[in-house]
Amino acid sequence: MKTGLYDFHIAHQAKMVPFAGYSMPLSYGNVGQIVSHNHVRHSVGIFDVGHMVQSNFRGKTATEFLEWLTPSSLASLKPYSSTLSVLLNEQGGIIDDTIVTKHAPDAFYVVTNAGRRDEDLAWFKQKLEEWNVSDNGKAGPVEHEILDNWGLVALQGPEAASYLQSLTSFDLTKLTFGTSAFVPIEGFNLHVARGGYTGEDGFEISIPPSQTVEVTKLLCKPPVQLIGLGARDSLRLEAGMCLYGSDLDETTTPVEAGLSWVIGKERKENGGFIGAEEVLRQLKEGPARRRVGLVIEGAPARHGAIIFSSSGTEQIGTVTSGIPSPTLGKNIAMGYIKTGWHKKGTEVQVEVRKQLRKAVLTPMPFSKPNYWRG
């Protein structure tokens, strides 16, 4: 599959690679990953994230429906505010991670991962059918609209706000991290959410199909640079953010993943969401394993590398993502480790290229976030 910007990428000498069922840019021209990564950390870059699935849920009981599918407190979310959340299966495992934005009590904008498109859409369809024939649904049915072929671009970096401000009369200082608005940008009226996947200040801009290329061209003037998937991965790992399929899957609960904060306070007490029984049990008793950050000596550990005790005798976990960090100049990784070994500062060993290398458990994010909180 292709996003609406495929031809635009080719015209800008993108190296295209398969990712989550789409042909996506890894890098552009002869600009390397580290240069692109550093440009986002120090200036501003733009990413095509149009492969993500954008949806609207509407209906009188939309809040209750989405609070059944996720453990988040959406009833108390203010209009045009967002939260990271998770779709859970009956065992409390993560079907996908998602951003849920409340537009009104009966209207939500939801973004899910491209790599889980088929699973998510089948889950939504199944659960909507169950909901709409129940007493809840009869009181107010919920409908699901998929925004197929819509564009989605992410403008990220410390200069993102000043650049975007030059294109709009809307006061962007009022748009704090985790909020969104419809913003006039050079004659276009676009949904702009303040946030992103890099740890930097930035915006995710949703664009109707007929306007995607034109708006992206508008957003691509210096100092903005086009950034590919290579830098996106290193930026998100420095920011301590999970990649579905590497760091999250259907056998992993939000408690194990260190995402208990997405579970609403009253929901921790009352449940009422799919998978609640196991999630509440783990919140009470503690999970058997936990997601942790690692700094590794000597060489970078990749997905699947085994974590051993400091003596090297006991296998205690697995690395799920790892890179040499361009910002820190160290080898960083995240993974899952047996509870009891998860405290920061704990020394362990990681098998890299058939050799045990010393590693230290380190709090995430590895790189200090620079979100705009007003």
Side-chain angles (χ1 to χ4, degrees):
M1 293 170 74
K2 298 175 181 178
T3 73
L5 291 173
Y6 178 85
D7 292 339
F8 176 84
H9 297 314
I10 298 298
H12 286 82
Q13 301 176 300
K15 181 186 177 186
M16 305 300 284
V17 295
F19 179 78
Y22 281 78
S23 183
M24 296 295 291
L26 181 68
S27 57
Y28 294 86
N30 58 5
V31 181
Q33 177 189 339
I34 292 173
V35 171
S36 289
H37 176 110
N38 290 336
H39 190 79
V40 174
R41 284 276 177 257
H42 300 294
S43 182
V44 53
I46 192 167
F47 303 81
D48 177 11
V49 286
H51 59 311
M52 307 282 275
V53 183
Q54 301 176 70
S55 294
N56 285 321
F57 287 88
R58 294 189 192 91
K60 193 174 166 187
T61 58
T63 300
E64 292 85 350
F65 173 70
L66 290 171
E67 284 194 341
W68 180 44
L69 262 57
T70 76
S72 298
S73 290
L74 303 178
S76 57
L77 203 61
K78 290 178 181 170
Y80 287 89
S81 293
S82 308
T83 181
L84 176 70
S85 194
V86 284
L87 300 170
L88 299 179
N89 61 26
E90 303 290 354
Q91 294 75 44
I94 299 171
I95 295 170
D96 202 0
D97 58 316
T98 177
I99 300 285
V100 179
T101 301
K102 183 182 196 169
H103 284 165
D106 59 354
F108 290 83
Y109 167 66
V110 176
V111 180
T112 49
N113 286 305
R116 298 293 287 172
R117 182 185 180 97
D118 292 347
E119 292 83 357
D120 292 346
L121 294 184
W123 186 251
F124 287 146
K125 185 171 184 285
Q126 178 194 337
K127 295 299 162 189
L128 270 170
E129 286 171 358
E130 290 177 27
W131 183 265
N132 284 338
V133 298
S134 71
D135 289 341
N136 290 309
K138 286 173 186 170
V142 178
E143 62 179 39
H144 176 209
E145 176 193 15
I146 304 161
L147 299 175
D148 262 336
N149 302 315
W150 277 57
L152 189 64
V153 295
L155 197 67
Q156 298 280 293
E159 294 181 24
S162 59
Y163 179 79
L164 191 60
Q165 189 65 77
S166 72
L167 302 174
T168 181
S169 57
F170 185 98
D171 182 1
L172 293 174
T173 61
K174 294 192 167 106
L175 200 63
T176 53
F177 177 75
T179 67
S180 61
F182 282 92
V183 174
I185 298 173
E186 299 279 291
F188 299 96
N189 189 42
L190 303 170
H191 186 266
V192 176
R194 198 154 198 166
Y197 196 49
T198 62
E200 297 298 332
D201 184 23
F203 307 88
E204 293 197 334
I205 303 166
S206 178
I207 317 169
S210 63
Q211 301 172 0
T212 301
V213 175
E214 202 176 343
V215 169
T216 304
K217 284 179 179 174
L218 188 65
L219 294 170
C220 272
K221 293 170 184 141
V224 180
Q225 287 185 8
L226 289 161
I227 312 290
L229 289 175
R232 183 170 161 84
D233 191 54
S234 52
L235 288 159
R236 70 91 191 167
L237 187 46
E238 287 184 350
M241 294 181 182
C242 297
L243 175 66
Y244 196 94
S246 293
D247 313 303
L248 303 173
D249 59 31
E250 291 213 35
T251 68
T252 304
T253 71
V255 186
E256 293 171 329
L259 297 175
S260 298
W261 61 271
V262 310
I263 306 167
K265 185 182 174 187
E266 72 279 6
R267 319 222 57 207
K268 289 176 179 174
E269 295 163 11
N270 305 329
F273 55 89
I274 294 168
E277 188 179 349
E278 179 59 20
V279 169
L280 298 186
R281 185 192 69 77
Q282 289 189 12
L283 283 170
K284 188 178 176 185
E285 300 173 10
R289 60 180 187 141
R290 296 169 193 261
R291 182 169 65 96
V292 295
L294 299 150
V295 172
I296 300 161
E297 290 183 5
R302 304 296 185 183
H303 179 86
I306 297 168
I307 305 169
F308 290 89
S309 59
S310 53
S311 63
T313 54
E314 185 186 349
Q315 189 173 321
I316 56 172
T318 309
V319 168
T320 53
S321 290
I323 52 155
S325 163
T327 303
L328 304 176
K330 299 173 182 176
N331 298 311
I332 62 172
M334 71 168 71
Y336 286 83
I337 204 163
K338 278 184 187 175
T339 294
W341 290 91
H342 64 282
K343 300 286 193 296
K344 70 177 182 181
T346 301
E347 291 189 6
V348 295
Q349 298 207 57
V350 180
E351 188 176 27
V352 183
R353 298 173 196 156
K354 299 185 178 177
Q355 187 178 336
L356 289 179
R357 299 180 187 272
K358 184 181 166 187
V360 177
L361 267 63
T362 306
M364 294 184 287
F366 298 100
S367 179
K368 181 180 175 289
N370 293 306
Y371 304 125
W372 174 255
R373 298 192 186 273

